[in-house]
Amino acid sequence: MKNMFNILILNGPNLNLLGTRETNIYGKTTLSQLNDLLNKESKKLNINISHFQSNAEHEIIEKIHASKKKIQYIIINPAAFTHTSLAIRDSLISVEIPFIEVHISNIYSRETFRTHSWFSDISSGTISGLGIEGYIWAIKTAAIRLFKKNKNKI
Ligand code: DQA
């Protein structure tokens, strides 16, 4: 369909436990509730979104490789891989798909080891500490940028 952009929402390890995991930090919304929320938002924005969550680094890398020429924007919460994965960083560079890095918590106000990200300097934007709303701002931004780039209106 004309004007339909494809955005991939990628969630890293332990985010399948959203809603039950450290709820004081990550909140009580489950991953499937979050996905429903983002699906609703995507309809308003007239974009297609797909979801992928994995606890395995290689699966995330393979998903990124498979996105080449199919996905126009990636929203990624690499979770703990944020702080460790040069391999996921390289895969994002390889496919040349712009991406926004999202963190539910503010990684700069937590332990020092969380303040380094392998993604921020190559991202087209980073959102940290806005709770799950961060994903909504990210898809809105991605949609605006894609439509602007193609000189269309939302
Ligand atoms: C996180 C922050 C990371 O440091 C942590 O390992 C996560 C989630 C966030 O969304 O706030 O798993 O990416």
Side-chain angles (χ1 to χ4, degrees), residues 12-15 18 21-22 25-26 77-83 102-107 110-111 113-114 128-129 135:
N14 303 307
L15 292 171
L18 271 184
R21 167 198 185 204
E22 297 177 274
I25 297 173
Y26 300 114
N77 183 346
F81 288 143
T82 306
H83 320 297
V102 173
H103 299 286
I104 296 167
S105 66
N106 180 355
I107 58 171
R110 299 179 64 192
E111 304 94 327
F113 58 78
R114 290 187 204 275
S128 185
Y135 291 88

Side-chain angles (χ1 to χ4, degrees), residues 3-47:
N3 291 346
M4 284 302 256
F5 294 112
N6 299 312
I7 297 180
L8 172 64
I9 318 291
L10 256 179
N11 278 302
N14 303 307
L15 292 171
N16 54 315
L17 300 181
L18 271 184
T20 56
R21 167 198 185 204
E22 297 177 274
T23 53
N24 56 322
I25 297 173
Y26 300 114
K28 291 199 173 143
T29 306
T30 65
L31 184 60
S32 84
Q33 287 168 339
L34 170 62
N35 291 349
D36 288 348
L37 202 70
L38 296 177
N39 289 342
K40 277 193 199 125
E41 199 62 37
S42 71
K43 290 200 178 84
K44 289 190 218 158
L45 294 166
N46 199 28
I47 51 168

